[in-house]
Every structure is written in structure tokens, then in C-alpha cells.
């Protein structure tokens, strides 16, 4: 906790969610579970067993982490690993329902940016778009596919802008808390934070 947020974004930006990921992820995952359960039931009722099975796997993985975090423990399934069932679920929907599966690319990309730092999140979003394109094109043709590309790209860009604004605001708060406004020198709070980070790192190395 003593160390500052990890560097992540363009130009040496910070991973603003690094120290708050559990707090951010918990409500997002809980809402996701509540929405996925009726969808999974509907898939099985309609005979879409592949989609239903993918949704059940994702629900189980999310539930395991929610229970652990609610109990004050570290999530047993690291958040980046949740990308696997998410991608599998989106892929199954794309394969069976085309444009309907494309709709799930938007929350998936948002999840990437809350789980990963900037560069991996952008790479995963780009890969997801590349995978979705042939399915969308086959289902609805070139005109709608182009609109999907534009809207998906815009959603990713807006998400990155918001995270960049949060990062800049966080940096200002950190500077106000750790830099003396008169001299521009670091104050005692910055020294305690640095010493706390060194202590944590040493403890991990000798544990």
C-alpha cells in the first residue's frame, strides 16, 4: 500500500485502479452475475447449449471471486484470468448469434480496461474487435459492420479519456499531499510512503 499507483498509460501514466481494483470490480462483477443468470437460463431453454455453458462457466468464476472479496480475502481467480471465460462467452455468442454477440464486445472491452493496465487493455480490445468483425460482417453486411467498428472504437477511446482524466486528478491529489507548496520539496508524508513501500518490498523478498 506504501507504493504509488503503477505506471501504465501513455507517456508514463499511472494505473489509477491498481490500489482500488477490488472496490471497483466488486459491484461490476455482482451486477454482471445478476444479468448473466437469466440469460444463461434463457440460452438453455432455447437450446443454445454452447452459449449457456459458456455463461455458466463465467458466472461460476465471477461468483468465486465475489465470495472471497466479500469475505475480505484476495480473489482466488486473479482478475486477468477472468478474461478467459469472458472471451469464451463472447466468442460463443458471436459464433451462434452474430450481431447479438457483437453487443457483448462493449462491456467486455470496458472490463478489459478496469482489469488490465492501459497497453494490455487496448491490445485485448483490438483483438476482440478483429475477432468479431468477420462474424458481424457475415450476419449484417459491410454497412452495419462499419458502424460497429466506429461505435466500438469510440467507446474504447472515451473509456481511455475518462481513465486519463482520473489519472491526472489523482496525480494532482498526490502532489498536493506529498509536496510542500512553498518550497516544492517532498514532505514527511512522501518520505513515509517511500519507506512504507521499501518495507513492503523487503518483506515480500524475505517471506
Amino acid at each position: 500500500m506504501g507504493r504509488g499507483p503503477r505506471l501504465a498509460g501513455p507517456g508514463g501514466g499511472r494505473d489509477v485502479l491498481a490500489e482500488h481494483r477490488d472496490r471497483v470490480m466488486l459491484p461490476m462483477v455482482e451486477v454482471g452475475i445478476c444479468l448473466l443468470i437469466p440469460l444463461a437460463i434463457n440460452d438453455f431453454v432455447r437450446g443454445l447449449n454452447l452459449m449457456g455453458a459458456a455463461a455458466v462457466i463465467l458466472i461460476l468464476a465471477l461468483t468465486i471471486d465475489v465470495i472471497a472479496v466479500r469475505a475480505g480475502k484476495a480473489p482466488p481467480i486473479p482478475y486477468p484470468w477472468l478474461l478467459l471465460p469472458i472471451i469464451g462467452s463472447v466468442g460463443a455468442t458471436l459464433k451462434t448469434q452474430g450481431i447479438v454477440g457483437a453487443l457483448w464486445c462493449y462491456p467486455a472491452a470496458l472490463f478489459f480496461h478496469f482489469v488490465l493496465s492501459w497497453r494490455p487493455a487496448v491490445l485485448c480490445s483490438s483483438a476482440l474487435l478483429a475477432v468479431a468483425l468477420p462474424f458481424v460482417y457475415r450476419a449484417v453486411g459491410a454497412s452495419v459492420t462499419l458502424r460497429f467498428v466506429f461505435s466500438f472504437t469510440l467507446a474504447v477511446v472515451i473509456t481511455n479519456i475518462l481513465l486519463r482524466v482520473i489519472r491526472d486528478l489523482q496525480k494532482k491529489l498526490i502532489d498536493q499531499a506529498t509536496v510542500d507548496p512553498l518550497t516544492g520539496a517532498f514532505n514527511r508524508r512522501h518520505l513515509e510512503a517511500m519507506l512504507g513501500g521499501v518495507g513492503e518490498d523487503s518483506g515480500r523478498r524475505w517471506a
Side-chain angles (χ1 to χ4, degrees):
M1 293 289 267
R3 291 176 297 177
R6 294 192 299 272
L7 295 180
R14 297 176 182 273
D15 180 3
V16 296
L17 301 178
E19 297 181 349
H20 312 284
R21 193 145 273 134
D22 285 348
R23 183 179 178 184
V24 171
M25 291 296 297
L26 190 59
M28 183 185 300
V29 170
E30 288 177 336
V31 171
I33 292 172
C34 293
L35 294 176
L36 285 170
I37 289 176
L39 290 176
I41 295 173
N42 181 61
D43 289 338
F44 284 119
V45 170
R46 295 171 58 195
L48 301 173
N49 295 328
L50 178 61
M51 290 175 53
V56 168
I57 293 172
L58 178 56
I59 290 168
L60 290 176
L62 296 176
T63 302
I64 290 171
D65 274 2
V66 165
I67 293 173
V69 173
R70 281 293 183 189
K73 301 177 182 178
I77 303 175
Y79 293 135
W81 291 13
L82 292 175
L83 300 182
L84 296 176
I86 288 175
I87 293 172
S89 182
V90 173
T93 310
L94 282 168
K95 183 177 181 180
T96 55
Q97 293 196 310
I99 188 62
V100 175
L103 299 177
W104 288 102
C105 291
Y106 297 94
L110 186 63
F111 191 85
F112 294 158
H113 282 82
F114 278 95
V115 170
L116 304 172
S117 56
W118 173 77
R119 193 178 303 277
V122 171
L123 290 175
C124 286
S125 297
S126 301
L128 182 62
L129 178 61
V131 170
L133 280 180
F135 294 101
V136 176
Y137 178 78
R138 185 177 62 185
V140 293
S143 179
V144 177
T145 300
L146 189 61
R147 287 171 171 78
F148 166 67
V149 172
F150 287 163
S151 63
F152 183 84
T153 302
L154 181 60
V156 171
V157 169
I158 291 174
T159 301
N160 278 280
I161 290 173
L162 292 175
L163 288 175
R164 189 183 185 95
V165 169
I166 294 172
R167 184 200 70 198
D168 292 343
L169 292 174
Q170 185 188 53
K171 183 179 183 300
K172 289 182 180 179
L173 289 174
I174 292 174
D175 289 343
Q176 291 175 3
T178 60
V179 177
D180 183 271
L182 182 62
T183 64
F186 289 122
N187 58 22
R188 178 179 176 181
R189 186 172 298 172
H190 177 266
L191 177 62
E192 291 174 348
M194 291 299 99
L195 293 176
V198 171
E200 287 182 3
D201 289 341
S202 300
R204 289 192 186 96
R205 286 197 295 268
W206 290 102

